[in-house]
Amino acid sequence: MSRVALVTGGTRGIGEAICTKLKLKGYTVVANYGGNDLAAEAFTERTGIPAIKFDVSDFEATKAAIEQIAQDFGPVEILVNNAGITRDGTMHRMTFEQWNDVIQTNLTSCFNTSRAVIDGMRERGFGRIVNVGSVNGQAGQYGQVNYASAKSGIHGFTKALAQEGAAKGVTVNAVAPGYVDTDMVRAVPADVLEKIIATIPVGRLGKPEDIARTVEFLVSDNADFITGSTLSVNGGQHMY
Ligand code: NDP
């Protein structure tokens, strides 16, 4: 039986590339998404990977969905916390909703999903958790106090949970992508994006596959001595 991998926010962008890569490597992949049914249907048609709708910021809904996934596909042995949103705005204009939505969706979600799988991983003596952080959680970014806080929190979350899981065969790592060509980045105004690309030493945006390859390595048996680390995949934009 192949290992079951759950990828949150798996139906678009970086998540889709991770799902596709893990499926290619022989894992049983389940994607989650938040609300875009059309994109999810198209994803499943393209990839043959099931897509399950639940809001990762909702503790009870996430718990119930992960229990159902365990019944339908088997226990989740690989968890990729990839779902994320932006609600940008400078601090003096940011609403509480913008702050809270991003913290709940990008950071509290990691607690919700990990809490639902951690007991089983510890009991079985094997688990892989990979959290998708961001260069902006490492370096900060104008207009993203909410997003930078959530992503920075992910890096602390990773190191703390890694310490707890280490003796039980559960590794916990983070990937910190730079700017990657997805819907999220396409929403950035073209002139701003041009300026951002000028700060990337390799001279291009990342591709979703750049991140997927890194996740695939971190969940593999080859990475069993790597835990609590953050791998930056950012074209040299920020060397941390
Ligand atoms: P996209 O906007 O392309 O896709 C986001 C995915 O997350 C979608 O599948 C979306 O589902 C899902 N999602 C959003 N909110 C929820 C929710 N509440 N519950 C469940 N699923 C949800 O994002 P990217 O591929 O660009 O980004 C993926 C991750 O990488 C994010 O965590 C992002 O912060 C991070 N990242 C991205 C960078 C980039 O340059 N693109 C750079 C650094 C980090 P639905 O389709 O239903 O909305």
Side-chain angles (χ1 to χ4, degrees), residues 8-15 32-37 39 54-57 82-85 105-106 132-135 147 151 177-185:
T8 69
T11 54
R12 291 196 281 124
I14 292 171
N32 144 268
Y33 69 105
N36 190 334
D37 297 319
F54 61 94
D55 179 357
V56 289
S57 71
N82 166 77
I85 57 169
T105 304
N106 296 12
V132 179
S134 169
V135 65
Y147 186 84
K151 292 300 188 181
Y179 283 80
V180 180
D181 190 10
T182 68
D183 292 343
M184 186 180 273
V185 159

Side-chain angles (χ1 to χ4, degrees), residues 140-192:
Q141 179 60 275
Y142 185 95
Q144 287 197 326
V145 162
N146 51 2
Y147 186 84
S149 300
K151 292 300 188 181
S152 173
I154 280 182
H155 298 306
F157 177 97
T158 299
K159 291 182 206 300
L161 187 55
Q163 291 183 29
E164 295 181 12
K168 296 285 183 185
V170 181
T171 68
V172 188
N173 291 289
V175 176
Y179 283 80
V180 180
D181 190 10
T182 68
D183 292 343
M184 186 180 273
V185 159
R186 279 176 220 127
V188 175
D191 56 324
V192 177

